[in-house]
Amino acid sequence: MANLKLVFDARYLSAKKGEAPLRVRVSHKGKGAYITLPISLKGNQWNPETQKVINHDRKKTVNDEVETLFLTHKTALKAVEGKYDIESVDVKKLRDLIIAELNSDKTKFDKNTVVAVFNDFISHKTGNTEKLYKNTLRKIEAFEGKNAQSLRFEEITKDWLLRFYDYMAKSAPSVNARAIDLRNLRAVFNYAIDNGITTHYPFRRFKIKHEVTRKRNFDVETLRAIFNLDNLEPWEEKYRDLFKLTFMLIGINFVDLCNLDTINDDRIIYCRAKTKKEYSIKLEPEIKELIEKYKGQTHLLNYLDTYKNYRHFYNNTCKGLTSVKDKLKEKEIVIEDLTTYWARHSWATIARKIGISKDTVSLALGHSKKTVTDTYIEEDNVEVDIANRLVLDYVLYDKKPLTLRDLVQV
């Protein structure tokens, strides 16, 4: 996969002005080639980490120019990828194709087009979120065809949205799958409005349809059966315990579970990959026991010790949990599916069942929305800690739960 990056090339430092050119490095197949930009800077005027101009009299203007030029090159690369099989060419040939695309009359870059703003928006995303937005953009480009690069926000009307919806229905029969793409497009519209690019907003008169998602939660008896299953092979037990640990950590996301690294003051503290929000979960004794059982070398848990990344481990986890599901069937316990998502949904459902408030459940899952009042209140983990202890006591030991009010008064 080809990548572009801005670099300050000090190898070509001018003895007279003390400046060197800013260049775009094209990386492909482990090698690099360069395209020189019409911008020269002194060594202390470029921050390679932030990819921004600093210590410059016209810092904002030059940064805007750099951003526009870089987006132009990214758009040209995307166009080249669509026209050619870039895996069959070396990096120098790829660079030449990008330059040709830049010089072509067809490449008239406008950073305020839908595609350009979409790419800018995506550049601030990571992981699965980035992939979801890229997928939506590909659908828009396929729908618009040769006109995609020049599509402007004002052209996306209610009628356009209806036609795009019908177009997606051909390949995505799921109403909720189409809703994801429409919400992604709506998010980019809001981004464009916030940045003064457009005031047009077709979603005022267009309602995004969705279907009620099927419930993915187990009742407490099924959870106990999973947790106490005794006919597992050692390798199956590992994946069952992973499911159990996911539940005990309030439905922690799979990638966050794999990347846990430290324990601070008897709490697991981590920044969620999806939202970048910090979470803090009290380390209950049952959680400690499982962590000690699967203690890792490079992370808190050993899940990634022998895997290149969490995706490879996730694929094996899906297979492992399927095998656990089959072992349940041997015990005449038939379930629809068994994934880590079910752990999260089950925790929330059981928490509500035993009387934990919706607000506390939302706080525990990270769904609570910030209000003006929240800015004056220091967020407290006490209620979440109590809620998780109540859920664990109920599921693991069949203890009759007290209410949160009772426990706080004690």
Side-chain angles (χ1 to χ4, degrees):
M1 180 179 178
N3 290 298
L4 302 182
K5 183 180 180 180
L6 291 168
V7 296
F8 174 77
D9 203 336
R11 295 175 299 175
Y12 297 92
L13 190 68
S14 165
K16 185 176 181 180
K17 294 185 177 181
E19 296 178 342
L22 199 61
R23 309 177 84 190
V24 174
R25 186 182 195 274
V26 183
S27 299
H28 184 51
K29 295 183 178 181
K31 295 186 178 181
Y34 296 86
I35 303 173
T36 301
L37 299 179
I39 296 174
S40 293
L41 302 167
K42 291 182 169 61
N44 67 342
Q45 293 178 331
W46 179 250
N47 186 326
E49 294 181 1
T50 62
Q51 297 272 282
K52 295 289 184 182
V53 176
I54 58 176
N55 303 322
H56 196 289
D57 293 341
R58 297 184 301 112
K59 182 174 68 175
K60 185 179 184 306
T61 302
V62 178
N63 269 319
D64 287 344
E65 185 179 355
V66 170
E67 181 182 2
T68 299
L69 286 168
F70 192 51
L71 283 173
T72 304
H73 284 68
K74 287 200 291 186
T75 301
L77 171 60
K78 192 168 186 63
V80 168
E81 288 176 329
K83 293 178 181 179
Y84 307 97
D85 176 15
I86 65 169
E87 293 305 315
S88 64
V89 301
D90 62 19
V91 69
K92 290 184 178 179
K93 177 63 176 177
L94 177 59
R95 178 209 44 206
D96 293 342
L97 289 172
I98 293 172
I99 292 173
E101 186 68 27
L102 288 166
N103 293 331
S104 119
D105 291 334
K106 294 180 181 178
T107 305
K108 295 180 179 178
F109 182 75
D110 182 350
K111 70 177 182 178
N112 291 335
T113 63
V114 173
V115 171
V117 175
F118 226 111
N119 278 316
D120 182 41
F121 183 85
I122 290 171
S123 69
H124 302 293
K125 305 298 178 183
T126 58
N128 286 332
T129 304
E130 178 185 11
K131 287 185 176 181
L132 283 172
Y133 279 98
K134 282 184 175 180
N135 186 51
T136 300
L137 179 56
R138 281 195 294 270
K139 291 177 182 178
I140 293 172
E141 290 175 325
F143 175 62
E144 279 292 313
K146 64 181 181 180
N147 299 319
Q149 298 300 319
S150 61
L151 178 67
R152 302 191 69 83
F153 286 95
E154 291 72 21
E155 297 177 63
I156 298 181
T157 61
K158 180 181 178 182
D159 178 65
W160 187 99
L161 290 170
L162 289 169
R163 288 186 288 108
F164 181 53
Y165 186 85
D166 291 339
Y167 166 80
M168 289 192 295
K170 297 174 183 177
S171 58
S174 167
V175 171
N176 289 345
R178 282 171 265 161
I180 290 173
D181 290 308
L182 290 169
R183 287 197 297 270
N184 288 348
L185 177 56
R186 184 175 64 187
V188 173
F189 256 97
N190 290 329
Y191 179 76
I193 291 170
D194 289 344
N195 285 277
I197 294 170
T198 187
T199 58
H200 179 62
Y201 193 68
F203 290 95
R204 290 189 183 93
R205 297 191 300 124
F206 181 85
K207 184 177 180 181
I208 298 177
K209 301 175 184 177
H210 72 280
E211 295 175 333
V212 176
T213 305
R214 64 183 177 87
K215 292 187 181 298
R216 294 184 289 183
N217 59 274
F218 297 121
D219 56 40
V220 67
E221 290 78 14
T222 303
L223 267 179
R224 289 169 183 161
I226 295 170
F227 291 171
N228 298 319
L229 200 56
D230 58 5
N231 60 337
L232 299 175
E233 298 292 334
W235 68 273
E236 293 170 321
E237 184 178 333
K238 173 182 178 180
Y239 296 110
R240 188 277 309 276
D241 287 348
L242 182 147
F243 176 86
K244 189 175 182 180
L245 188 55
T246 300
F247 178 85
M248 290 179 173
L249 291 173
I250 315 179
I252 187 173
N253 182 269
F254 186 86
V255 63
D256 295 323
L257 177 65
C258 291
N259 288 328
L260 293 177
D261 50 17
T262 57
I263 295 172
N264 297 313
D265 296 328
D266 229 25
R267 303 189 72 85
I268 287 178
I269 300 174
Y270 68 98
C271 184
R272 191 177 178 193
K274 182 178 180 179
T275 63
K276 306 305 179 187
K277 180 180 177 181
E278 187 176 271
Y279 285 73
S280 176
I281 301 175
K282 184 180 178 183
L283 203 61
E284 300 292 346
E286 298 86 353
I287 298 173
K288 282 184 181 179
E289 184 179 342
L290 284 176
I291 288 176
E292 189 61 34
K293 183 176 180 180
Y294 297 102
K295 191 173 183 180
Q297 297 177 0
T298 57
H299 293 86
L300 185 62
L301 301 162
N302 64 13
Y303 299 146
L304 298 187
D305 282 356
T306 56
Y307 288 87
K308 184 177 180 181
N309 57 51
Y310 83 91
R311 296 185 190 282
H312 293 171
F313 180 60
Y314 179 74
N315 292 334
N316 277 1
T317 298
C318 293
K319 296 174 184 175
L321 290 177
T322 298
S323 186
V324 173
K325 185 181 77 168
D326 293 339
K327 289 296 179 70
L328 281 167
K329 195 173 182 180
E330 293 178 8
K331 297 277 189 176
E332 298 184 353
I333 302 170
V334 179
I335 59 176
E336 179 184 352
D337 201 0
L338 181 59
T339 69
T340 54
Y341 286 107
W342 285 73
R344 183 174 178 83
H345 286 248
S346 297
W347 189 97
T349 303
I350 289 174
R352 287 294 295 132
K353 180 180 178 180
I354 63 176
I356 295 169
S357 71
K358 284 185 178 180
D359 287 343
T360 301
V361 172
S362 293
L363 181 62
L365 298 177
H367 291 167
S368 58
K369 295 182 179 179
K370 289 289 182 183
T371 65
V372 174
T373 306
D374 291 331
T375 62
Y376 297 95
I377 300 174
E378 183 177 352
E379 191 166 87
D380 197 325
N381 289 307
V382 172
E383 285 193 10
V384 174
D385 293 345
I386 295 172
N388 197 31
R389 187 64 260 172
L390 283 173
V391 171
L392 296 186
D393 283 343
Y394 178 58
V395 174
L396 300 177
Y397 312 114
D398 197 21
K399 286 187 179 180
K400 215 168 191 179
L402 297 171
T403 65
L404 281 173
R405 181 177 298 174
D406 293 334
L407 286 175
V408 172
Q409 288 176 347
V410 171

